[in-house]
Amino acid sequence: MRIQIINGPNLNLLGIREPEIYGKRAWEDYLKELRARFPKVRIDYFQSNLEGELINKIHEVGFDRDGIILNAGAYTHTSIAILDALKSVSTPTVEVHISNVYQREDFRRRSIISPGCVGFIGGFGLDSYRLAVEALIDNAARAKAE
Ligand code: DQA
């Protein structure tokens, strides 16, 4: 099984950026733990602050992975282009957020990309990514059984 994590803008600063919201843990440290927890799953990782690069990555991996975990950062709330990219590929995508976007500013309550995703996980800190891996494993098992 092969899963692609894609993190969008400002998520390269995890551990430093607004730690009261996003936590103090460095991403690389968390990713190491995540990979160790799922030894049978290959977890690839990509981060970019640029919308077009996120779209190119979705196109690149969108036909041959078992799942994409996408935290599109603020592009979640603005990007029709990312929504269109998700709709253009066949790999199921889980939308992930570290914070509970519904407890925050009004503009974060609207996700433009959700209609292109199989599901949504948010509000559990970095553990949201682990929950998304679990969801994609179950999703793949279900698809195989059908
Ligand atoms: C975020 C929530 C977004 O609203 C914000 O712009 C981010 C991070 C999250 O993981 O909680 O950059 O996607």
PDB file of all heavy atoms in Angstrom, residues 63-92:
ATOM      1  N   PHE A  63      -3.074   8.764  -9.954  1.00  0.00           N
ATOM      2  CA  PHE A  63      -3.605   7.584 -10.631  1.00  0.00           C
ATOM      3  C   PHE A  63      -2.974   6.289 -10.137  1.00  0.00           C
ATOM      4  O   PHE A  63      -3.407   5.213 -10.522  1.00  0.00           O
ATOM      5  CB  PHE A  63      -3.417   7.719 -12.151  1.00  0.00           C
ATOM      6  CG  PHE A  63      -4.177   8.886 -12.721  1.00  0.00           C
ATOM      7  CD1 PHE A  63      -3.558  10.115 -12.888  1.00  0.00           C
ATOM      8  CD2 PHE A  63      -5.527   8.764 -13.047  1.00  0.00           C
ATOM      9  CE1 PHE A  63      -4.265  11.209 -13.383  1.00  0.00           C
ATOM     10  CE2 PHE A  63      -6.239   9.845 -13.542  1.00  0.00           C
ATOM     11  CZ  PHE A  63      -5.604  11.069 -13.712  1.00  0.00           C
ATOM     12  N   ASP A  64      -1.931   6.396  -9.310  1.00  0.00           N
ATOM     13  CA  ASP A  64      -1.260   5.137  -8.941  1.00  0.00           C
ATOM     14  C   ASP A  64      -0.990   4.963  -7.444  1.00  0.00           C
ATOM     15  O   ASP A  64      -0.356   4.006  -7.050  1.00  0.00           O
ATOM     16  CB  ASP A  64       0.034   4.961  -9.753  1.00  0.00           C
ATOM     17  CG  ASP A  64       1.077   5.986  -9.371  1.00  0.00           C
ATOM     18  OD1 ASP A  64       0.754   6.914  -8.605  1.00  0.00           O
ATOM     19  OD2 ASP A  64       2.217   5.846  -9.843  1.00  0.00           O
ATOM     20  N   ARG A  65      -1.492   5.856  -6.612  1.00  0.00           N
ATOM     21  CA  ARG A  65      -1.363   5.645  -5.167  1.00  0.00           C
ATOM     22  C   ARG A  65      -2.688   5.063  -4.649  1.00  0.00           C
ATOM     23  O   ARG A  65      -3.719   5.128  -5.310  1.00  0.00           O
ATOM     24  CB  ARG A  65      -1.086   6.958  -4.418  1.00  0.00           C
ATOM     25  CG  ARG A  65       0.175   7.685  -4.838  1.00  0.00           C
ATOM     26  CD  ARG A  65       1.426   6.948  -4.419  1.00  0.00           C
ATOM     27  NE  ARG A  65       2.573   7.849  -4.401  1.00  0.00           N
ATOM     28  CZ  ARG A  65       3.338   8.132  -5.454  1.00  0.00           C
ATOM     29  NH1 ARG A  65       3.096   7.594  -6.627  1.00  0.00           N
ATOM     30  NH2 ARG A  65       4.364   8.970  -5.334  1.00  0.00           N
ATOM     31  N   ASP A  66      -2.641   4.524  -3.435  1.00  0.00           N
ATOM     32  CA  ASP A  66      -3.872   4.020  -2.813  1.00  0.00           C
ATOM     33  C   ASP A  66      -4.627   5.128  -2.107  1.00  0.00           C
ATOM     34  O   ASP A  66      -5.789   4.947  -1.744  1.00  0.00           O
ATOM     35  CB  ASP A  66      -3.526   2.903  -1.828  1.00  0.00           C
ATOM     36  CG  ASP A  66      -2.885   1.742  -2.550  1.00  0.00           C
ATOM     37  OD1 ASP A  66      -3.587   1.095  -3.336  1.00  0.00           O
ATOM     38  OD2 ASP A  66      -1.669   1.516  -2.366  1.00  0.00           O
ATOM     39  N   GLY A  67      -3.979   6.231  -1.879  1.00  0.00           N
ATOM     40  CA  GLY A  67      -4.659   7.345  -1.241  1.00  0.00           C
ATOM     41  C   GLY A  67      -3.761   8.567  -1.151  1.00  0.00           C
ATOM     42  O   GLY A  67      -2.529   8.452  -1.141  1.00  0.00           O
ATOM     43  N   ILE A  68      -4.415   9.722  -1.087  1.00  0.00           N
ATOM     44  CA  ILE A  68      -3.712  10.988  -0.855  1.00  0.00           C
ATOM     45  C   ILE A  68      -4.267  11.570   0.436  1.00  0.00           C
ATOM     46  O   ILE A  68      -5.487  11.532   0.670  1.00  0.00           O
ATOM     47  CB  ILE A  68      -3.961  11.990  -2.013  1.00  0.00           C
ATOM     48  CG1 ILE A  68      -3.378  11.464  -3.328  1.00  0.00           C
ATOM     49  CG2 ILE A  68      -3.391  13.367  -1.670  1.00  0.00           C
ATOM     50  CD1 ILE A  68      -3.756  12.314  -4.551  1.00  0.00           C
ATOM     51  N   ILE A  69      -3.375  12.068   1.276  1.00  0.00           N
ATOM     52  CA  ILE A  69      -3.777  12.823   2.471  1.00  0.00           C
ATOM     53  C   ILE A  69      -3.377  14.265   2.186  1.00  0.00           C
ATOM     54  O   ILE A  69      -2.186  14.556   2.031  1.00  0.00           O
ATOM     55  CB  ILE A  69      -3.070  12.279   3.727  1.00  0.00           C
ATOM     56  CG1 ILE A  69      -3.551  10.860   4.018  1.00  0.00           C
ATOM     57  CG2 ILE A  69      -3.310  13.196   4.924  1.00  0.00           C
ATOM     58  CD1 ILE A  69      -2.764  10.150   5.113  1.00  0.00           C
ATOM     59  N   LEU A  70      -4.358  15.128   2.085  1.00  0.00           N
ATOM     60  CA  LEU A  70      -4.078  16.505   1.666  1.00  0.00           C
ATOM     61  C   LEU A  70      -4.453  17.501   2.747  1.00  0.00           C
ATOM     62  O   LEU A  70      -5.619  17.600   3.134  1.00  0.00           O
ATOM     63  CB  LEU A  70      -4.868  16.824   0.385  1.00  0.00           C
ATOM     64  CG  LEU A  70      -4.806  18.271  -0.111  1.00  0.00           C
ATOM     65  CD1 LEU A  70      -3.381  18.680  -0.490  1.00  0.00           C
ATOM     66  CD2 LEU A  70      -5.743  18.476  -1.302  1.00  0.00           C
ATOM     67  N   ASN A  71      -3.444  18.214   3.233  1.00  0.00           N
ATOM     68  CA  ASN A  71      -3.705  19.408   4.033  1.00  0.00           C
ATOM     69  C   ASN A  71      -3.326  20.589   3.155  1.00  0.00           C
ATOM     70  O   ASN A  71      -2.143  20.911   2.998  1.00  0.00           O
ATOM     71  CB  ASN A  71      -2.890  19.403   5.329  1.00  0.00           C
ATOM     72  CG  ASN A  71      -3.254  20.584   6.223  1.00  0.00           C
ATOM     73  OD1 ASN A  71      -3.903  21.536   5.773  1.00  0.00           O
ATOM     74  ND2 ASN A  71      -2.839  20.534   7.479  1.00  0.00           N
ATOM     75  N   ALA A  72      -4.313  21.181   2.553  1.00  0.00           N
ATOM     76  CA  ALA A  72      -4.054  22.252   1.584  1.00  0.00           C
ATOM     77  C   ALA A  72      -3.851  23.609   2.259  1.00  0.00           C
ATOM     78  O   ALA A  72      -3.725  24.634   1.574  1.00  0.00           O
ATOM     79  CB  ALA A  72      -5.189  22.316   0.566  1.00  0.00           C
ATOM     80  N   GLY A  73      -3.803  23.623   3.616  1.00  0.00           N
ATOM     81  CA  GLY A  73      -3.601  24.891   4.321  1.00  0.00           C
ATOM     82  C   GLY A  73      -4.685  25.893   3.908  1.00  0.00           C
ATOM     83  O   GLY A  73      -5.847  25.526   3.702  1.00  0.00           O
ATOM     84  N   ALA A  74      -4.298  27.128   3.745  1.00  0.00           N
ATOM     85  CA  ALA A  74      -5.278  28.176   3.422  1.00  0.00           C
ATOM     86  C   ALA A  74      -5.893  28.002   2.032  1.00  0.00           C
ATOM     87  O   ALA A  74      -6.986  28.520   1.767  1.00  0.00           O
ATOM     88  CB  ALA A  74      -4.619  29.547   3.544  1.00  0.00           C
ATOM     89  N   TYR A  75      -5.226  27.245   1.128  1.00  0.00           N
ATOM     90  CA  TYR A  75      -5.827  26.988  -0.193  1.00  0.00           C
ATOM     91  C   TYR A  75      -7.117  26.178  -0.072  1.00  0.00           C
ATOM     92  O   TYR A  75      -7.929  26.167  -0.988  1.00  0.00           O
ATOM     93  CB  TYR A  75      -4.847  26.256  -1.108  1.00  0.00           C
ATOM     94  CG  TYR A  75      -3.710  27.109  -1.614  1.00  0.00           C
ATOM     95  CD1 TYR A  75      -2.409  26.618  -1.644  1.00  0.00           C
ATOM     96  CD2 TYR A  75      -3.941  28.399  -2.084  1.00  0.00           C
ATOM     97  CE1 TYR A  75      -1.359  27.392  -2.115  1.00  0.00           C
ATOM     98  CE2 TYR A  75      -2.900  29.184  -2.549  1.00  0.00           C
ATOM     99  CZ  TYR A  75      -1.606  28.674  -2.563  1.00  0.00           C
ATOM    100  OH  TYR A  75      -0.572  29.444  -3.027  1.00  0.00           O
ATOM    101  N   THR A  76      -7.290  25.506   1.065  1.00  0.00           N
ATOM    102  CA  THR A  76      -8.542  24.799   1.334  1.00  0.00           C
ATOM    103  C   THR A  76      -9.739  25.715   1.104  1.00  0.00           C
ATOM    104  O   THR A  76     -10.767  25.297   0.577  1.00  0.00           O
ATOM    105  CB  THR A  76      -8.577  24.367   2.826  1.00  0.00           C
ATOM    106  OG1 THR A  76      -7.441  23.566   3.081  1.00  0.00           O
ATOM    107  CG2 THR A  76      -9.856  23.633   3.187  1.00  0.00           C
ATOM    108  N   HIS A  77      -9.558  26.962   1.543  1.00  0.00           N
ATOM    109  CA  HIS A  77     -10.690  27.891   1.581  1.00  0.00           C
ATOM    110  C   HIS A  77     -10.791  28.757   0.323  1.00  0.00           C
ATOM    111  O   HIS A  77     -11.694  29.570   0.218  1.00  0.00           O
ATOM    112  CB  HIS A  77     -10.551  28.798   2.815  1.00  0.00           C
ATOM    113  CG  HIS A  77     -10.121  28.047   4.042  1.00  0.00           C
ATOM    114  ND1 HIS A  77     -10.889  27.070   4.621  1.00  0.00           N
ATOM    115  CD2 HIS A  77      -8.962  28.080   4.778  1.00  0.00           C
ATOM    116  CE1 HIS A  77     -10.249  26.559   5.667  1.00  0.00           C
ATOM    117  NE2 HIS A  77      -9.075  27.157   5.778  1.00  0.00           N
ATOM    118  N   THR A  78      -9.847  28.580  -0.602  1.00  0.00           N
ATOM    119  CA  THR A  78      -9.816  29.497  -1.762  1.00  0.00           C
ATOM    120  C   THR A  78      -9.676  28.815  -3.119  1.00  0.00           C
ATOM    121  O   THR A  78      -9.983  29.425  -4.138  1.00  0.00           O
ATOM    122  CB  THR A  78      -8.620  30.472  -1.653  1.00  0.00           C
ATOM    123  OG1 THR A  78      -7.401  29.712  -1.680  1.00  0.00           O
ATOM    124  CG2 THR A  78      -8.679  31.309  -0.393  1.00  0.00           C
ATOM    125  N   SER A  79      -9.184  27.572  -3.153  1.00  0.00           N
ATOM    126  CA  SER A  79      -8.668  27.069  -4.437  1.00  0.00           C
ATOM    127  C   SER A  79      -9.626  26.162  -5.224  1.00  0.00           C
ATOM    128  O   SER A  79      -9.702  24.954  -4.989  1.00  0.00           O
ATOM    129  CB  SER A  79      -7.342  26.340  -4.232  1.00  0.00           C
ATOM    130  OG  SER A  79      -6.856  25.885  -5.473  1.00  0.00           O
ATOM    131  N   ILE A  80     -10.277  26.756  -6.206  1.00  0.00           N
ATOM    132  CA  ILE A  80     -11.087  25.963  -7.146  1.00  0.00           C
ATOM    133  C   ILE A  80     -10.154  25.100  -7.990  1.00  0.00           C
ATOM    134  O   ILE A  80     -10.491  23.979  -8.373  1.00  0.00           O
ATOM    135  CB  ILE A  80     -11.927  26.905  -8.046  1.00  0.00           C
ATOM    136  CG1 ILE A  80     -12.905  27.704  -7.191  1.00  0.00           C
ATOM    137  CG2 ILE A  80     -12.702  26.115  -9.095  1.00  0.00           C
ATOM    138  CD1 ILE A  80     -13.555  28.868  -7.920  1.00  0.00           C
ATOM    139  N   ALA A  81      -8.942  25.600  -8.264  1.00  0.00           N
ATOM    140  CA  ALA A  81      -7.984  24.841  -9.087  1.00  0.00           C
ATOM    141  C   ALA A  81      -7.580  23.534  -8.400  1.00  0.00           C
ATOM    142  O   ALA A  81      -7.447  22.492  -9.058  1.00  0.00           O
ATOM    143  CB  ALA A  81      -6.769  25.702  -9.387  1.00  0.00           C
ATOM    144  N   ILE A  82      -7.410  23.559  -7.076  1.00  0.00           N
ATOM    145  CA  ILE A  82      -7.081  22.312  -6.367  1.00  0.00           C
ATOM    146  C   ILE A  82      -8.289  21.383  -6.360  1.00  0.00           C
ATOM    147  O   ILE A  82      -8.160  20.176  -6.567  1.00  0.00           O
ATOM    148  CB  ILE A  82      -6.547  22.607  -4.942  1.00  0.00           C
ATOM    149  CG1 ILE A  82      -5.163  23.266  -5.049  1.00  0.00           C
ATOM    150  CG2 ILE A  82      -6.460  21.312  -4.113  1.00  0.00           C
ATOM    151  CD1 ILE A  82      -4.523  23.643  -3.720  1.00  0.00           C
ATOM    152  N   LEU A  83      -9.478  21.927  -6.166  1.00  0.00           N
ATOM    153  CA  LEU A  83     -10.689  21.096  -6.255  1.00  0.00           C
ATOM    154  C   LEU A  83     -10.751  20.409  -7.624  1.00  0.00           C
ATOM    155  O   LEU A  83     -10.977  19.197  -7.716  1.00  0.00           O
ATOM    156  CB  LEU A  83     -11.945  21.954  -6.043  1.00  0.00           C
ATOM    157  CG  LEU A  83     -13.266  21.259  -6.373  1.00  0.00           C
ATOM    158  CD1 LEU A  83     -13.505  20.061  -5.454  1.00  0.00           C
ATOM    159  CD2 LEU A  83     -14.436  22.230  -6.296  1.00  0.00           C
ATOM    160  N   ASP A  84     -10.529  21.169  -8.689  1.00  0.00           N
ATOM    161  CA  ASP A  84     -10.585  20.590 -10.038  1.00  0.00           C
ATOM    162  C   ASP A  84      -9.529  19.505 -10.215  1.00  0.00           C
ATOM    163  O   ASP A  84      -9.789  18.480 -10.851  1.00  0.00           O
ATOM    164  CB  ASP A  84     -10.402  21.681 -11.101  1.00  0.00           C
ATOM    165  CG  ASP A  84     -11.652  22.550 -11.267  1.00  0.00           C
ATOM    166  OD1 ASP A  84     -12.710  22.175 -10.725  1.00  0.00           O
ATOM    167  OD2 ASP A  84     -11.556  23.594 -11.927  1.00  0.00           O
ATOM    168  N   ALA A  85      -8.343  19.727  -9.654  1.00  0.00           N
ATOM    169  CA  ALA A  85      -7.273  18.710  -9.752  1.00  0.00           C
ATOM    170  C   ALA A  85      -7.711  17.421  -9.067  1.00  0.00           C
ATOM    171  O   ALA A  85      -7.543  16.319  -9.614  1.00  0.00           O
ATOM    172  CB  ALA A  85      -5.983  19.238  -9.116  1.00  0.00           C
ATOM    173  N   LEU A  86      -8.311  17.548  -7.883  1.00  0.00           N
ATOM    174  CA  LEU A  86      -8.759  16.356  -7.142  1.00  0.00           C
ATOM    175  C   LEU A  86      -9.832  15.608  -7.926  1.00  0.00           C
ATOM    176  O   LEU A  86      -9.861  14.377  -7.952  1.00  0.00           O
ATOM    177  CB  LEU A  86      -9.292  16.751  -5.758  1.00  0.00           C
ATOM    178  CG  LEU A  86      -8.253  17.329  -4.792  1.00  0.00           C
ATOM    179  CD1 LEU A  86      -8.932  17.881  -3.549  1.00  0.00           C
ATOM    180  CD2 LEU A  86      -7.216  16.268  -4.411  1.00  0.00           C
ATOM    181  N   LYS A  87     -10.690  16.369  -8.595  1.00  0.00           N
ATOM    182  CA  LYS A  87     -11.762  15.746  -9.370  1.00  0.00           C
ATOM    183  C   LYS A  87     -11.242  15.105 -10.657  1.00  0.00           C
ATOM    184  O   LYS A  87     -11.932  14.302 -11.273  1.00  0.00           O
ATOM    185  CB  LYS A  87     -12.826  16.784  -9.720  1.00  0.00           C
ATOM    186  CG  LYS A  87     -13.710  17.141  -8.536  1.00  0.00           C
ATOM    187  CD  LYS A  87     -14.789  18.088  -8.986  1.00  0.00           C
ATOM    188  CE  LYS A  87     -15.944  18.141  -8.010  1.00  0.00           C
ATOM    189  NZ  LYS A  87     -16.917  19.163  -8.408  1.00  0.00           N
ATOM    190  N   SER A  88     -10.035  15.495 -11.065  1.00  0.00           N
ATOM    191  CA  SER A  88      -9.464  15.000 -12.326  1.00  0.00           C
ATOM    192  C   SER A  88      -8.735  13.670 -12.170  1.00  0.00           C
ATOM    193  O   SER A  88      -8.345  13.059 -13.161  1.00  0.00           O
ATOM    194  CB  SER A  88      -8.466  16.019 -12.891  1.00  0.00           C
ATOM    195  OG  SER A  88      -9.091  17.261 -13.049  1.00  0.00           O
ATOM    196  N   VAL A  89      -8.473  13.258 -10.933  1.00  0.00           N
ATOM    197  CA  VAL A  89      -7.676  12.042 -10.713  1.00  0.00           C
ATOM    198  C   VAL A  89      -8.550  10.975 -10.060  1.00  0.00           C
ATOM    199  O   VAL A  89      -9.671  11.238  -9.634  1.00  0.00           O
ATOM    200  CB  VAL A  89      -6.425  12.345  -9.850  1.00  0.00           C
ATOM    201  CG1 VAL A  89      -5.536  13.373 -10.533  1.00  0.00           C
ATOM    202  CG2 VAL A  89      -6.806  12.790  -8.439  1.00  0.00           C
ATOM    203  N   SER A  90      -7.996   9.755  -9.981  1.00  0.00           N
ATOM    204  CA  SER A  90      -8.809   8.651  -9.460  1.00  0.00           C
ATOM    205  C   SER A  90      -8.451   8.235  -8.034  1.00  0.00           C
ATOM    206  O   SER A  90      -9.225   7.555  -7.367  1.00  0.00           O
ATOM    207  CB  SER A  90      -8.694   7.440 -10.393  1.00  0.00           C
ATOM    208  OG  SER A  90      -7.342   7.117 -10.578  1.00  0.00           O
ATOM    209  N   THR A  91      -7.282   8.627  -7.560  1.00  0.00           N
ATOM    210  CA  THR A  91      -6.872   8.245  -6.199  1.00  0.00           C
ATOM    211  C   THR A  91      -7.747   8.961  -5.161  1.00  0.00           C
ATOM    212  O   THR A  91      -7.930  10.183  -5.259  1.00  0.00           O
ATOM    213  CB  THR A  91      -5.396   8.648  -5.959  1.00  0.00           C
ATOM    214  OG1 THR A  91      -4.594   7.986  -6.934  1.00  0.00           O
ATOM    215  CG2 THR A  91      -4.921   8.267  -4.579  1.00  0.00           C
ATOM    216  N   PRO A  92      -8.305   8.216  -4.187  1.00  0.00           N
ATOM    217  CA  PRO A  92      -9.124   8.886  -3.164  1.00  0.00           C
ATOM    218  C   PRO A  92      -8.285   9.792  -2.252  1.00  0.00           C
ATOM    219  O   PRO A  92      -7.195   9.414  -1.828  1.00  0.00           O
ATOM    220  CB  PRO A  92      -9.721   7.722  -2.356  1.00  0.00           C
ATOM    221  CG  PRO A  92      -8.858   6.550  -2.641  1.00  0.00           C
ATOM    222  CD  PRO A  92      -8.227   6.765  -3.982  1.00  0.00           C
TER     223      PRO A  92
END
